[in-house]
Amino acid sequence: MNRLHQLLGHHVWAFTSFRVDAPGLPVAEVDWLFYNSLRGTFVLSEWKRYPALVLQVMDEGKPWILANGAAVPNPVEQVGRQLQAVRRVLRQDICRKYFPSVDQHSLNLYPSVYSPQIDEATRRERLRYGAVHGSLEEVALMVERRAVTAPLLVSGVSARLELAETLTDLFRCSIGSAVRRKLDPPPPVQPDPGVRMAAIHRELAALHLELASLLDAPAQVAALTPITVPAPVAAPAPVRASAPPRISPVLRSDALRQSPAKAPTSPSPAPAPVTKPSKTPAAGHLKRHVTRLVPASKPTSEHLRDAFLAALQDGQLRSSGVHIGLFGSLVGQHLTGGVNLSDLAPGGLSKWCHAQAEAAGVPIVRDPKDPSIVRSTRRTNQQKEPV
């Protein structure tokens, strides 16, 4: 469990070791059920441990074969029965209230099996539906990347907390205090004006002291530096000119042909002054979206998503696009109070931004010259070019 906590972000909810009582079906005992709140996907995972390595993985209707020659019941069939029970209770108790726009008969549950006894030497038959993994890294990667055409998403902190409480009641689990704080963070406490004014005065006093030390530094350095007088340089003695040797006219003309006169060299041009590039209007416009929609203190992933989507659909950024690296840099400079950008965009900023655009239904493409720049491809009646 600790390893899964390290591999998965806070946006993934994990329910473990619970029973499901679905009407008309046997009671199902589920090992793990994951819900990705950013992608809107449910992943069901059955965990198995065997006394020997798994030699062959088979699809439904055939047992699995171990390296010691034993045949064990097929866990793919077991997770398939669990999937039917979980899907039925989700349709009856969850989907109608929280995901009314999604077709109830196309609920996107995905089955999988994890066994540490599966390795590279295991022969795997192609599964018709689901996946089999031999490491927790593969399980976490599937949970993070699994995507569907009709995601099951809720918006707002209160709606997500209510959905989490409903799922825990349905699966007879509990929400820890740390998890509850992540789902429903406390409202930001406004600082007392008098305390903040005193802190500002202390900061100003410290800045004045630092400025005074910087202003006195050049004078102190000049006072401590000894003045050195350069030693006199003797003038070179004049050279007495000697008479040129006498040569015949023929030799003189040959010497002139063999040693042509050198053209005077012109001084090399001075290097052009280096000018620092100024901030582009696109960067300033992108910064305004960040400062307007992302609070510096106590921000959430929703604030970051709103700022990215607003910049992505901004008409003044059509030509330049949205540079994800610049966007992250502006957000990092804007945040205060020990908040990290990795907490707001788990799994990497680029992958997170693409997931937000996909969940919001905003198609985007990468710039062919710079993959860090993305643009929206949505067209309108007034504008036929990609925005």
Side-chain angles (χ1 to χ4, degrees):
M1 184 178 295
N2 293 332
R3 182 55 179 160
L4 274 179
H5 180 74
Q6 296 173 356
L7 294 172
L8 297 173
H10 298 329
H11 59 285
V12 176
W13 306 353
F15 306 89
T16 180
S17 303
F18 61 89
R19 295 162 60 92
V20 178
D21 298 327
L25 294 175
V27 177
E29 296 183 358
V30 178
D31 287 342
W32 288 90
L33 177 66
F34 302 99
Y35 172 65
N36 191 324
S37 61
L38 291 181
R39 292 186 174 269
T41 55
F42 282 96
V43 175
L44 193 65
S45 182
E46 175 68 15
W47 289 23
K48 289 294 183 182
R49 289 186 178 272
Y50 298 107
L53 294 177
V54 178
L55 183 63
Q56 189 170 5
V57 169
M58 310 294 288
D59 202 357
E60 295 182 356
K62 304 173 185 178
W64 284 15
I65 306 300
L66 304 184
N68 58 7
V72 296
N74 193 326
V76 177
E77 298 177 353
Q78 180 180 354
V79 75
R81 292 189 293 268
Q82 298 172 4
L83 185 141
Q84 294 179 7
V86 175
R87 180 190 285 125
R88 182 165 297 183
V89 297
L90 288 179
R91 286 176 180 173
Q92 294 179 353
D93 302 326
I94 301 296
C95 290
R96 291 189 179 93
K97 180 178 180 181
Y98 296 98
F99 317 114
S101 60
V102 179
D103 183 11
Q104 307 299 318
H105 297 284
S106 61
L107 190 62
N108 53 40
L109 279 171
Y110 191 72
S112 63
V113 176
Y114 160 70
S115 175
Q117 283 73 42
I118 297 176
D119 57 11
E120 296 180 355
T122 303
R123 298 193 300 270
R124 306 189 186 191
E125 179 181 335
R126 182 178 179 86
L127 303 181
R128 287 172 292 180
Y129 188 55
V132 174
H133 304 291
S135 67
L136 292 179
E137 286 76 11
E138 294 178 357
V139 175
L141 189 63
M142 174 193 60
V143 174
E144 289 283 0
R145 293 187 176 182
R146 172 71 180 166
V148 292
T149 56
L152 303 175
L153 296 171
V154 292
S155 60
V157 176
S158 59
R160 280 195 300 272
L161 180 59
E162 184 180 354
L163 173 61
E165 292 175 343
T166 304
L167 289 175
T168 52
D169 293 341
L170 181 63
F171 299 138
R172 303 172 187 177
C173 301
S174 61
I175 304 178
S177 57
V179 177
R180 187 176 293 275
R181 285 194 299 269
K182 294 173 183 177
L183 292 174
D184 187 16
V189 179
Q190 297 295 334
D192 181 75
V195 175
R196 182 55 186 155
M197 290 172 62
I200 292 175
H201 282 295
R202 288 194 296 269
E203 294 174 1
L204 289 175
L207 291 176
H208 280 296
L209 290 176
E210 183 179 357
L211 181 61
S213 63
L214 294 175
L215 292 175
D216 294 339
Q220 296 174 0
V221 172
L224 295 176
T225 303
I227 301 176
T228 59
V229 179
V233 180
V239 179
R240 180 177 297 176
S242 58
R246 301 185 60 176
I247 57 177
S248 62
V250 176
L251 292 178
R252 183 183 300 273
S253 61
D254 292 342
L256 292 176
R257 284 197 300 267
Q258 294 176 4
S259 358
K262 294 184 179 180
T265 58
S266 59
S268 59
V274 179
T275 58
K276 296 183 178 180
S278 59
K279 294 185 177 179
T280 60
H285 204 69
L286 183 59
K287 183 178 181 180
R288 284 193 290 272
H289 286 294
V290 172
T291 56
R292 179 172 60 89
L293 297 175
V294 180
S297 177
K298 305 293 184 179
T300 63
S301 298
E302 287 74 20
H303 297 124
L304 188 64
R305 178 196 61 195
D306 295 341
F308 174 70
L309 294 179
L312 194 62
Q313 303 179 72
D314 190 342
Q316 298 189 28
L317 296 177
R318 285 194 186 98
S319 59
S320 63
V322 178
H323 196 292
I324 295 181
L326 177 60
F327 175 72
S329 175
L330 294 175
V331 173
Q333 298 173 9
H334 178 65
L335 298 178
T336 60
V339 181
N340 297 324
L341 181 61
S342 58
D343 298 332
L344 304 179
L349 180 62
S350 179
K351 182 176 70 174
W352 184 88
C353 289
H354 282 76
Q356 302 310 306
E358 180 182 354
V362 181
I364 59 176
V365 295
R366 298 176 185 267
D367 189 274
K369 296 182 180 179
D370 188 354
S372 300
I373 299 177
V374 295
R375 293 182 177 85
S376 172
T377 59
R378 176 176 292 173
R379 295 173 177 267
T380 61
N381 295 331
Q382 293 81 10
Q383 183 72 25
K384 297 301 182 180
E385 295 296 330
V387 294

